[in-house]
Amino acid sequence: MRYDYLIVGSGLFGAVFAREARERGKRCLVVEKRDHIAGNVYTEEVHGIQVHRYGAHIFHTSDKSVWEYVNRFAEFNQYINSPIARYKDELYNLPFNMNTFSRMWGVATPREAQDIIAGQIADLQISQPQNLEEQALSLVGRDVYEKLIKGYTEKQWGRDCRDLPAFIIRRLPLRFTYDNNYFNDRYQGIPVGGYTRIVEKLLEGTEVRLKTDYLANRAELDGMAEKIVYTGMIDQFYNYCLGVLEYRSVRFETEELELENYQGNAVVNYTEREIPYTRIIEHKHFEFGKQPTTIISREYSSEWKRGDEPYYPVNDGKNEALYEAYRARAEAENRVIFGGRLGSYRYYDMDRVIASALELCRREL
């Protein structure tokens, strides 16, 4: 065998493992079915603008060790995620904070906003929410739900909120301060020059084969390494023998416009059900760009089917039970290690992907 590890997938999980293994003297081969590295954090430069091909990725973490680790491979700017929600012709700040409430009700103090929300919740008299709509109403009241949650959520999931389980929204943070910073994490930013550069540095010195489908060439590739680190879909690895795990997918429409500035913000959510896309990303604003043109991406949520790119796992009771059955099989494997978003059937923020890869390195290496 020519390699100690065959790493399937060149996203953050696989790239971090490859870096740490190589530094410990291990021989690694990374195979990637796409024609580029970096998985869904891949960014490509178009006319000086770093385009997030698979949707916006904003790095944020409260884990100092992860922040220090990722800063070894990139310089981060001071971008703060402050999305805007558009409902019809009304614009609101996100997350829900005093700027949101002031725009919605004309209030100026936290007590005024708290009293309105508490009054709406009391009027609804929902003691045990039976679906997502009732859960959201019991947390934020009718106005915030109707304008900023209902339509957006129904587009995300492709279902009426009354047909979605309550557990999807366990909490909806309300901030009674004038603070538009979406994340509470201590560290936040976008890597200068895009995420692809980070993965390039992580993979320096490691052999990478692009446009190589592991599952289509499993017999040959398995014979080349002592162990396999697999970051693809766990049910697909087992040829869906126990059933198919469900996901939501996302479709992007990207275009370059002969404008310097299209919407004035990197992220604008469209919360009306009648608008087919969930949000528009204007990529140049992630790096405070001054280019003469701009590039935007409209995002459309869709049902996932085999062959589509899986984005968000549907972590309901049925899918969790199916994943646990696959996980039991995975834990019995001697040569295969499953990890990452798809291998773990979890939606992970980037810092958690990196942390979990480093934890695997500590155990394995």
Side-chain angles (χ1 to χ4, degrees), residues 200-215:
E200 286 174 346
K201 291 182 179 180
L202 287 167
L203 292 174
E204 281 179 358
T206 298
E207 183 180 349
V208 179
R209 298 184 187 179
L210 300 177
K211 295 188 284 189
T212 302
D213 189 333
Y214 165 74
L215 294 177

Side-chain angles (χ1 to χ4, degrees), residues 25 35 108 153 174 184 286 294:
D35 62 359
T153 303
L174 299 171
N184 289 315
F286 289 126
T294 192

Side-chain angles (χ1 to χ4, degrees), residues 256-267:
E256 185 170 9
L257 303 175
E258 296 297 322
L259 300 170
E260 183 180 348
N261 188 354
Y262 175 73
Q263 62 187 18
N265 205 52
V267 182

Side-chain angles (χ1 to χ4, degrees), residues 34-169:
R34 291 171 171 168
D35 62 359
H36 61 76
I37 60 170
N40 282 7
V41 303
Y42 174 71
T43 51
E44 58 182 336
E45 185 171 319
V46 180
H47 297 162
I49 299 170
Q50 289 295 327
V51 176
H52 298 221
R53 186 189 287 187
Y54 302 98
H57 287 80
I58 298 108
F59 197 92
H60 59 98
T61 187
S62 293
D63 188 328
K64 186 177 181 180
S65 64
V66 169
W67 181 247
E68 291 175 343
Y69 182 83
V70 77
N71 272 267
R72 290 168 52 191
F73 309 103
E75 177 186 358
F76 281 74
N77 65 19
Q78 294 182 309
Y79 176 82
I80 298 297
N81 190 31
S82 304
I84 297 293
R86 179 167 182 167
Y87 175 77
K88 298 183 178 179
D89 291 328
E90 301 171 16
L91 298 176
Y92 296 96
N93 292 104
L94 297 177
F96 310 136
N97 68 75
M98 282 304 299
N99 288 308
T100 319
F101 309 141
S102 178
R103 175 74 176 86
M104 188 168 290
W105 300 311
V107 299
T109 67
R111 175 56 62 86
E112 291 175 293
Q114 289 169 327
D115 287 347
I116 290 173
I117 292 170
Q120 291 185 4
I121 292 173
D123 289 343
L124 291 164
Q125 297 182 337
I126 300 171
S127 57
Q128 294 185 333
Q130 299 301 305
N131 53 52
L132 186 147
E133 177 167 283
E134 292 183 357
Q135 175 77 348
L137 287 168
S138 70
L139 293 170
V140 299
R142 185 169 298 282
D143 290 349
V144 173
Y145 170 72
E146 292 287 350
K147 290 188 175 184
L148 303 181
I149 297 173
K150 178 178 169 61
Y152 189 88
T153 303
E154 290 181 346
K155 287 188 288 189
Q156 270 194 316
W157 292 95
R159 293 166 179 80
D160 190 288
C161 285
R162 288 166 291 188
D163 297 326
L164 290 167
F167 75 80
I168 290 177
I169 295 182

Side-chain angles (χ1 to χ4, degrees), residues 213-228:
D213 189 333
Y214 165 74
L215 294 177
N217 301 277
R218 185 184 301 195
E220 174 191 356
L221 293 169
D222 281 354
M224 297 172 66
E226 295 285 347
K227 284 191 172 182
I228 297 101

Side-chain angles (χ1 to χ4, degrees), residues 318-335:
K318 178 186 70 173
N319 283 287
E320 283 297 296
L322 180 56
Y323 167 69
E324 287 301 319
Y326 278 118
R327 189 169 70 88
R329 288 199 171 204
E331 289 180 348
E333 297 280 351
N334 293 321
R335 296 180 58 210

